[in-house]
Amino acid sequence: MTETIRFVFVSNYLNHHQIPFCDAMYERLQGSFVFLQTEEVEQERIAMGWNAENEKPYLRMFQEDPERSRQLILDAEVVLFGGTDDETYIEKRLEEKKPVVRYSERLYKEGQWKCVSPRGLMKKYHDHTRHGKDPVILLCSGAYVPSDFSIVRAYPNKMYVWGYFPETKTYDIKALMEKKAANAVPKILWAARMIDWKHPELPIKVAAELRGRGLKFHLDVVGGGEMMPVVEELVKQCELQEYVTLHGFKKPAEVRELMEQSNIYLMTSDRGEGWGAVVNEAMNSGCAVVGNHMVGAVPYLLEHEKCGMIYRDKEDQALFDIVARLVENQAFTRQLGETAYGRITGLWNAENAADRLLKLCLKLGFLQPQSCEVTEGDAAWSEGPCSPAKVIGERKMFSYLMKKN
C-alpha cells in the first residue's frame, strides 16, 4: 500500500531544538508531515539530555523500513533535507526534478580556503551547483552560509534566511526582568560542550578580568568534555572559586532555568559554531547575549546595542570590555534582555518559521494549497525566517554588523 505524506523532513536525528518546528508543521499540515530520522543519537548528546521524545506522532526511523522510507521521500510534495551528508536519500528525487528544500550550515567551518580542493569542488557541483535551474532552494542556517555557497555558485537568488528554532517560552517579561534585577550581583552564564572551538576558557578569563577591575558578579559555567580539566585548572590558577560555579552537564530544561536567572549570557564559540541555538534560548529568557561575530546565529539574531552585543572574533579584550560594561550598567543590560525577548517571541520562533516556510513553498508552487492551514500571502519578508539571504563575505561581516546597527 502506497502512503503519501505531503511534507517529509529528512535529517540525522530529532532533537529538542527541532521539535517545536516539527510540532508546528505537523499541526499546519493536519498530520501530513513526517520527520524521517537517519541516524542514532550519539551517547554524548544523550548524556546532555538530547534524547528527543520518541513518541512524537511524526517521527519515523529510516532503517526500520528503508524501502518504505525511500518511497515516502520520492512521493512527498516537498522534502526538507539537511543534517546529513548522505545524498543518496534524495538522489532519485533530484533526478525526477521534484521540489527539494535543502537546509545547511556553512560549508567551510575551518576556513573558506578549503574551497580550493578539486575533489571538494566536484562534490559541491554534483550536490548543489548543477541544480541551479531545478526546483531546489536553500535555507541558510547561519549568516555565513550564503557566502560559502556563493563561492561554488550554487542557488543564485534561491537562498533564504533560516536557523534553528528551539522552544519559545512566554513570560511576563517585566516580572522576569524584575527577578533578574533582584540578583545580589549580576549573574553571567556560559553553557556548552567543553571543546576547543567553543572556547570554554574564555568565560574564565572574563571572570578574571572582571575581578581585576573590582567588579561584583557571579559566573555559572555549564557543560563538560575534553577541556574540563583545563577550565578547572584555570579557575584554580586565577583563584576564582568564589566567583565561578562549575556545574558540569545539565539537562536542557535545567539550562533554561539558569538562563531565566541570569542577566548576561556569553556565546564564545568561533567559526565552528554553524548556528548556536543557545543564543535563541538565552534571548528568549531575557538575557543580554554577548556573541562572537563568527557564530552563525549571531548576525541573524543579534542587533548590536539593541538586543545584544557583538564582539569581533579573536578580540578577547573587546569581549572583556563589553561584559564589564554590562556588569556596570544594569539598566542597559535589562534593556537588551527585554528587547531580545521580543525579537524571539515576535520573529524568531518555530511557529513563525513554519508559517513562512509553508507560504514560501506555496508561492514557489512546491506545495498545493489544499489541507494546509496557511494562506500564501505575499511571502516577501525583509528579515527573519525565509527572507532573502544576503551574500556578505565573512571578512566584511563585522563591519556590516556595526554599520547596520
Side-chain angles (χ1 to χ4, degrees), residues 10-13 38-39 81-87 89 102-103:
V10 183
S11 193
N12 51 359
Y13 46 75
T38 63
E39 302 173 18
F81 180 77
T84 174
D85 293 328
D86 189 347
E87 292 286 316
Y89 292 110
R102 308 189 72 131
Y103 83 90

Side-chain angles (χ1 to χ4, degrees), residues 371-386:
S371 302
C372 183
E373 292 187 357
V374 297
T375 56
E376 181 179 325
D378 58 12
W381 306 283
S382 60
E383 67 167 339
C386 293

Side-chain angles (χ1 to χ4, degrees), residues 83-300:
T84 174
D85 293 328
D86 189 347
E87 292 286 316
T88 62
Y89 292 110
I90 58 167
E91 194 170 47
K92 189 172 182 180
R93 185 176 178 91
L94 288 170
E95 288 175 1
E96 296 191 8
K97 300 191 183 302
K98 293 184 176 181
V100 173
V101 177
R102 308 189 72 131
Y103 83 90
S104 178
E105 293 183 8
R106 66 177 311 169
L107 293 174
Y108 304 114
K109 289 184 178 181
E110 296 178 24
Q112 290 184 333
W113 58 270
K114 284 277 188 176
C115 72
V116 301
S117 164
R119 179 178 295 181
L121 287 172
M122 288 179 63
K123 180 168 174 55
K124 300 301 183 297
Y125 176 82
H126 180 271
D127 294 349
H128 303 289
T129 311
R130 69 190 180 108
H131 299 294
K133 296 183 179 180
D134 296 337
V136 185
I137 63 172
L138 178 68
L139 302 181
C140 301
S141 295
Y144 299 94
V145 178
S147 176
D148 282 2
F149 275 89
S150 69
I151 290 174
V152 296
R153 299 184 180 182
Y155 312 111
N157 302 312
K158 295 168 64 176
M159 294 189 284
Y160 299 88
V161 171
W162 198 244
Y164 292 90
F165 306 94
E167 179 186 6
T168 299
K169 294 187 177 183
T170 302
Y171 302 98
D172 178 336
I173 188 59
K174 297 298 182 184
L176 178 64
M177 302 312 288
E178 286 295 331
K179 183 178 178 181
K180 291 173 183 280
N183 289 334
V185 295
K187 298 189 72 173
I188 305 169
L189 176 62
W190 183 95
R193 289 178 292 153
M194 291 190 178
I195 54 180
D196 59 355
W197 54 265
K198 289 182 181 286
H199 297 285
E201 78 284 356
L202 278 178
I204 310 305
K205 292 181 178 180
V206 167
E209 178 77 13
L210 296 178
R211 191 193 65 172
R213 299 188 188 194
L215 299 176
K216 295 181 179 180
F217 68 96
H218 189 82
L219 170 66
D220 290 293
V221 175
V222 177
E226 62 191 44
M227 289 190 67
M228 185 65 161
V230 175
V231 171
E232 292 174 331
E233 182 61 28
L234 193 56
V235 171
K236 290 179 183 178
Q237 288 180 358
C238 298
E239 299 181 347
L240 292 168
Q241 292 88 340
E242 295 182 12
Y243 297 84
V244 178
T245 300
L246 302 179
H247 293 272
F249 281 124
K250 282 187 172 293
K251 294 179 179 179
E254 295 172 325
V255 177
R256 287 298 290 261
E257 288 177 4
L258 283 171
M259 288 177 175
E260 291 162 5
Q261 300 165 18
S262 300
N263 306 93
I264 301 166
Y265 186 88
L266 304 181
M267 182 44 143
T268 60
S269 298
D270 59 30
R271 63 182 301 126
E273 192 76 71
W275 180 256
V278 289
V279 177
N280 304 60
E281 294 171 325
M283 293 174 70
N284 181 214
S285 301
C287 296
V289 176
V290 182
N292 184 326
H293 92 283
M294 288 300 292
V295 171
V298 165
Y300 281 170

